[in-house]
PDB file of all heavy atoms in Angstrom:
ATOM      1  N   GLY V 223       2.188  40.461  16.999  1.00 95.00           N
ATOM      2  CA  GLY V 223       3.067  41.398  17.683  1.00 95.00           C
ATOM      3  C   GLY V 223       3.810  40.780  18.855  1.00 95.00           C
ATOM      4  O   GLY V 223       4.379  41.491  19.686  1.00 95.00           O
ATOM      5  N   ARG V 224       3.775  39.481  18.941  1.00 95.00           N
ATOM      6  CA  ARG V 224       4.528  38.762  19.996  1.00 95.00           C
ATOM      7  C   ARG V 224       4.710  37.320  19.515  1.00 95.00           C
ATOM      8  O   ARG V 224       3.985  36.869  18.619  1.00 95.00           O
ATOM      9  CB  ARG V 224       3.773  38.808  21.317  1.00 95.00           C
ATOM     10  CG  ARG V 224       2.467  38.053  21.286  1.00 95.00           C
ATOM     11  CD  ARG V 224       1.690  38.094  22.581  1.00 95.00           C
ATOM     12  NE  ARG V 224       0.332  37.601  22.302  1.00 95.00           N
ATOM     13  CZ  ARG V 224      -0.613  38.293  21.684  1.00 95.00           C
ATOM     14  NH1 ARG V 224      -0.393  39.536  21.294  1.00 95.00           N
ATOM     15  NH2 ARG V 224      -1.796  37.734  21.433  1.00 95.00           N
ATOM     16  N   PRO V 225       5.638  36.602  20.125  1.00 96.00           N
ATOM     17  CA  PRO V 225       5.898  35.242  19.630  1.00 96.00           C
ATOM     18  C   PRO V 225       4.670  34.349  19.776  1.00 96.00           C
ATOM     19  O   PRO V 225       4.046  34.309  20.834  1.00 96.00           O
ATOM     20  CB  PRO V 225       7.030  34.738  20.535  1.00 96.00           C
ATOM     21  CG  PRO V 225       7.627  35.957  21.151  1.00 96.00           C
ATOM     22  CD  PRO V 225       6.528  36.975  21.242  1.00 96.00           C
ATOM     23  N   VAL V 226       4.347  33.677  18.714  1.00 96.00           N
ATOM     24  CA  VAL V 226       3.224  32.739  18.727  1.00 96.00           C
ATOM     25  C   VAL V 226       3.774  31.341  18.445  1.00 96.00           C
ATOM     26  O   VAL V 226       4.527  31.147  17.499  1.00 96.00           O
ATOM     27  CB  VAL V 226       2.174  33.113  17.657  1.00 96.00           C
ATOM     28  CG1 VAL V 226       1.102  32.026  17.564  1.00 96.00           C
ATOM     29  CG2 VAL V 226       1.551  34.457  17.970  1.00 96.00           C
ATOM     30  N   HIS V 227       3.391  30.402  19.286  1.00 96.00           N
ATOM     31  CA  HIS V 227       3.755  29.011  19.051  1.00 96.00           C
ATOM     32  C   HIS V 227       2.506  28.233  18.634  1.00 96.00           C
ATOM     33  O   HIS V 227       1.418  28.467  19.161  1.00 96.00           O
ATOM     34  CB  HIS V 227       4.342  28.387  20.317  1.00 96.00           C
ATOM     35  CG  HIS V 227       4.509  26.907  20.185  1.00 96.00           C
ATOM     36  ND1 HIS V 227       5.470  26.340  19.384  1.00 96.00           N
ATOM     37  CD2 HIS V 227       3.808  25.877  20.719  1.00 96.00           C
ATOM     38  CE1 HIS V 227       5.362  25.025  19.438  1.00 96.00           C
ATOM     39  NE2 HIS V 227       4.365  24.717  20.241  1.00 96.00           N
ATOM     40  N   ILE V 228       2.678  27.332  17.722  1.00 96.00           N
ATOM     41  CA  ILE V 228       1.566  26.474  17.320  1.00 96.00           C
ATOM     42  C   ILE V 228       1.978  25.008  17.435  1.00 96.00           C
ATOM     43  O   ILE V 228       3.149  24.669  17.341  1.00 96.00           O
ATOM     44  CB  ILE V 228       1.119  26.737  15.864  1.00 96.00           C
ATOM     45  CG1 ILE V 228       2.323  26.570  14.919  1.00 96.00           C
ATOM     46  CG2 ILE V 228       0.479  28.110  15.723  1.00 96.00           C
ATOM     47  CD1 ILE V 228       1.973  26.461  13.481  1.00 96.00           C
ATOM     48  N   THR V 229       0.977  24.154  17.632  1.00 97.00           N
ATOM     49  CA  THR V 229       1.178  22.709  17.525  1.00 97.00           C
ATOM     50  C   THR V 229       0.595  22.294  16.184  1.00 97.00           C
ATOM     51  O   THR V 229      -0.583  22.557  15.908  1.00 97.00           O
ATOM     52  CB  THR V 229       0.450  21.969  18.660  1.00 97.00           C
ATOM     53  OG1 THR V 229       0.999  22.389  19.912  1.00 97.00           O
ATOM     54  CG2 THR V 229       0.610  20.465  18.520  1.00 97.00           C
ATOM     55  N   PHE V 230       1.433  21.692  15.353  1.00 97.00           N
ATOM     56  CA  PHE V 230       1.020  21.425  13.969  1.00 97.00           C
ATOM     57  C   PHE V 230       1.233  19.951  13.631  1.00 97.00           C
ATOM     58  O   PHE V 230       2.346  19.441  13.744  1.00 97.00           O
ATOM     59  CB  PHE V 230       1.830  22.316  13.018  1.00 97.00           C
ATOM     60  CG  PHE V 230       1.648  22.009  11.558  1.00 97.00           C
ATOM     61  CD1 PHE V 230       0.375  21.942  10.986  1.00 97.00           C
ATOM     62  CD2 PHE V 230       2.746  21.790  10.732  1.00 97.00           C
ATOM     63  CE1 PHE V 230       0.211  21.658   9.634  1.00 97.00           C
ATOM     64  CE2 PHE V 230       2.590  21.511   9.374  1.00 97.00           C
ATOM     65  CZ  PHE V 230       1.317  21.443   8.836  1.00 97.00           C
ATOM     66  N   VAL V 231       0.167  19.295  13.222  1.00 98.00           N
ATOM     67  CA  VAL V 231       0.269  17.890  12.791  1.00 98.00           C
ATOM     68  C   VAL V 231      -0.362  17.728  11.404  1.00 98.00           C
ATOM     69  O   VAL V 231      -1.585  17.836  11.261  1.00 98.00           O
ATOM     70  CB  VAL V 231      -0.423  16.935  13.784  1.00 98.00           C
ATOM     71  CG1 VAL V 231      -0.294  15.487  13.304  1.00 98.00           C
ATOM     72  CG2 VAL V 231       0.195  17.063  15.175  1.00 98.00           C
ATOM     73  N   PRO V 232       0.464  17.497  10.395  1.00 98.00           N
ATOM     74  CA  PRO V 232      -0.088  17.225   9.053  1.00 98.00           C
ATOM     75  C   PRO V 232      -0.369  15.732   8.867  1.00 98.00           C
ATOM     76  O   PRO V 232       0.271  14.889   9.493  1.00 98.00           O
ATOM     77  CB  PRO V 232       1.034  17.669   8.124  1.00 98.00           C
ATOM     78  CG  PRO V 232       2.285  17.503   8.913  1.00 98.00           C
ATOM     79  CD  PRO V 232       1.927  17.597  10.382  1.00 98.00           C
ATOM     80  N   HIS V 233      -1.342  15.442   8.038  1.00 98.00           N
ATOM     81  CA  HIS V 233      -1.722  14.058   7.735  1.00 98.00           C
ATOM     82  C   HIS V 233      -1.855  13.900   6.224  1.00 98.00           C
ATOM     83  O   HIS V 233      -2.140  14.870   5.516  1.00 98.00           O
ATOM     84  CB  HIS V 233      -3.079  13.703   8.355  1.00 98.00           C
ATOM     85  CG  HIS V 233      -3.174  13.855   9.834  1.00 98.00           C
ATOM     86  ND1 HIS V 233      -3.254  15.086  10.457  1.00 98.00           N
ATOM     87  CD2 HIS V 233      -3.239  12.944  10.831  1.00 98.00           C
ATOM     88  CE1 HIS V 233      -3.351  14.906  11.779  1.00 98.00           C
ATOM     89  NE2 HIS V 233      -3.342  13.629  12.025  1.00 98.00           N
ATOM     90  N   LEU V 234      -1.696  12.678   5.757  1.00 98.00           N
ATOM     91  CA  LEU V 234      -1.842  12.385   4.333  1.00 98.00           C
ATOM     92  C   LEU V 234      -3.176  11.683   4.081  1.00 98.00           C
ATOM     93  O   LEU V 234      -3.486  10.678   4.718  1.00 98.00           O
ATOM     94  CB  LEU V 234      -0.694  11.484   3.862  1.00 98.00           C
ATOM     95  CG  LEU V 234      -0.572  11.315   2.350  1.00 98.00           C
ATOM     96  CD1 LEU V 234      -0.156  12.625   1.693  1.00 98.00           C
ATOM     97  CD2 LEU V 234       0.452  10.238   2.016  1.00 98.00           C
ATOM     98  N   VAL V 235      -3.958  12.213   3.135  1.00 98.00           N
ATOM     99  CA  VAL V 235      -5.290  11.698   2.812  1.00 98.00           C
ATOM    100  C   VAL V 235      -5.240  10.987   1.461  1.00 98.00           C
ATOM    101  O   VAL V 235      -4.616  11.499   0.532  1.00 98.00           O
ATOM    102  CB  VAL V 235      -6.321  12.851   2.725  1.00 98.00           C
ATOM    103  CG1 VAL V 235      -7.731  12.303   2.529  1.00 98.00           C
ATOM    104  CG2 VAL V 235      -6.256  13.748   3.944  1.00 98.00           C
TER     105      VAL V 235
END
Side-chain angles (χ1 to χ4, degrees):
Chain V
R224 66 181 167 284
V226 173
H227 170 72
I228 56 166
T229 298
F230 172 53
V231 180
H233 302 74
L234 191 68
V235 186

